[in-house]
Amino acid sequence: MRFTLLFLSAIIAMSATAHARPVSYPGGWTLMVMNDKDKNSSHIHYSPSAKHSIGWRHDYLRDSSTHIDSVQLNNLLKRWNKPQEQANLYLKSGIGISREDGDFSPAAYTGIAADWETRRYFTSYENHFLWANNDTKHIEHKARIGVAPYIGDYGDFHTWIMLQADYDAGEQDSFSMTPLVRFFKGTTLVEAGYNLDDGILFNFVQRF
Amino acid sequence: MKNILGVLSIIMLLIAAPVHAEGTKDIIVKVDGMVCDFCAQSLTKIFGKEDSVNDIDVSLDDQTVTIDTKDDQDLPDEKIKELIEWGGYDLVEIKR
């Protein structure tokens, strides 16, 4: 039931993000929705080139009941293209307004994201430093490893089995693991997992 | 004799210009960095905007983009390289 509600809220309210690339092809739009044990996020962005994207992002931090609306800029700092593999380094930053208990204050965040993938293996790491409500709210580190049980060609239904590690170095100082599955076909990516501490992960990405 | 010459002429023409029955030509482009459907879709969208392109086929297995151009139009190598790099990928080779 909880999963269903999360799914519906993700699709209908377009409220949340995913671990896919933060920059699309030139002229492309991307909707990213992410829900995990700590927050719900949504991010819609436009890529004027393959190296930049700009968009709107909304985060809801469940513990502090904080809403953050921001303009986010993603930059592809470096891409390494090799036969059958690719690696990327991104800078993701945003500024906006946070709202907690009816009080508004400026918010800003930045972070580095890196990934390396082949058609069989996937690894990624990203960090996220958030300042809001005149205080440092979150310092997050997130890493993933993944393997595809079979290799599909373009247009096929792709499946990945992944393990995500989250370390919150801010107020919570917590570490948790989330096994998940990724399904990928055409322009749609869906991820679903369960955090071993508690909480469902659901991510949805649609490219246009 | 006329028939034989006619058949030979047709065979020679077919060998000289590998043209589809619909009057289109294929260019096979090998690309580095294509690892997922998002990559393939990016290049499909980028090449699909070109007037001279009839159809695009991407193979992740072969790491190739096959460009089907309209019969009376061409896509120069320089333009293909520019579009591949504009999409964020690296060109390896072009086969015509």
Side-chain angles (χ1 to χ4, degrees), chain A:
Chain A
M1 184 62 183
R2 193 176 170 193
F3 181 83
T4 307
L5 286 173
L6 274 177
F7 180 81
L8 289 173
S9 63
I11 300 300
I12 296 168
M14 293 184 175
S15 65
T17 357
H19 233 20
R21 293 175 188 155
V23 180
S24 181
Y25 61 87
W29 287 86
T30 305
L31 169 68
M32 307 172 79
V33 175
M34 186 182 327
N35 301 281
D36 62 21
K37 68 184 182 62
D38 295 320
K39 65 183 176 185
N40 308 98
S41 305
S42 61
H43 183 200
I44 185 161
H45 65 73
Y46 172 76
S47 299
S49 76
K51 292 189 174 180
H52 310 282
S53 72
I54 186 166
W56 167 80
R57 176 170 171 155
H58 176 81
D59 293 287
Y60 174 64
L61 312 181
R62 228 174 278 120
D63 275 356
S64 57
S65 298
T66 301
H67 292 268
I68 300 171
D69 285 284
S70 59
V71 174
Q72 180 170 326
L73 185 65
N74 302 317
N75 297 291
L76 173 62
L77 300 177
K78 178 71 179 170
R79 171 171 286 173
W80 294 267
N81 289 313
K82 301 289 180 188
Q84 303 282 357
E85 65 182 285
Q86 186 186 94
N88 299 286
L89 183 64
Y90 297 98
L91 174 66
K92 303 195 288 189
S93 306
I95 54 170
I97 295 171
S98 72
R99 176 167 53 87
E100 183 179 346
D101 296 329
D103 295 328
F104 291 85
S105 65
Y109 55 86
T110 189
I112 293 285
D115 64 66
W116 170 84
E117 64 182 300
T118 67
R119 295 171 66 203
R120 174 73 72 184
Y121 302 106
F122 176 91
T123 61
S124 70
Y125 164 78
E126 70 175 283
N127 51 41
H128 187 74
F129 301 89
L130 167 68
W131 295 268
N133 300 329
N134 305 313
D135 193 9
T136 301
K137 299 295 284 188
H138 283 277
I139 303 171
E140 298 172 336
H141 301 270
K142 188 177 294 186
R144 271 192 188 193
I145 54 172
V147 62
Y150 61 91
I151 305 289
D153 209 342
Y154 178 40
D156 290 345
F157 186 85
H158 303 270
T159 303
W160 288 81
I161 299 166
M162 294 181 157
L163 184 64
Q164 177 174 311
D166 292 273
Y167 175 55
D168 187 337
E171 295 166 355
Q172 294 184 356
D173 191 24
S174 64
F175 177 82
S176 65
M177 302 286 280
T178 306
L180 64 132
V181 289
R182 168 186 283 184
F183 301 114
F184 192 178
K185 181 170 173 56
T187 57
T188 305
L189 183 153
V190 173
E191 295 175 336
Y194 190 80
N195 184 276
L196 297 180
D197 282 355
D198 185 27
I200 285 170
L201 175 146
F202 179 79
N203 297 328
F204 171 79
V205 178
Q206 180 67 50
R207 275 192 170 180
F208 304 97

Side-chain angles (χ1 to χ4, degrees), chain B residues 28-59:
Chain B
I28 299 171
V29 183
K30 194 159 180 64
V31 178
D32 269 355
M34 288 200 304
V35 290
C36 68
D37 277 26
F38 279 174
C39 308
Q41 191 217 9
S42 299
L43 294 175
T44 302
K45 291 272 188 183
I46 288 167
F47 279 96
K49 289 177 182 172
E50 293 298 308
D51 290 338
S52 58
V53 172
N54 193 47
D55 194 20
I56 299 290
D57 184 46
V58 177
S59 170

Side-chain angles (χ1 to χ4, degrees), chain B residues 1 5 9 18-19 21-22 27 32 34-35 39 43 46 48-49 51 54 57 74-75 83-85 88 95:
Chain B
M1 187 63 185
L5 284 174
S9 301
V19 176
E22 300 83 11
I27 305 167
D32 269 355
M34 288 200 304
V35 290
C39 308
L43 294 175
I46 288 167
K49 289 177 182 172
D51 290 338
N54 193 47
D57 184 46
D74 189 27
L75 200 58
L83 293 174
I84 295 286
E85 291 176 353
K95 288 181 183 174

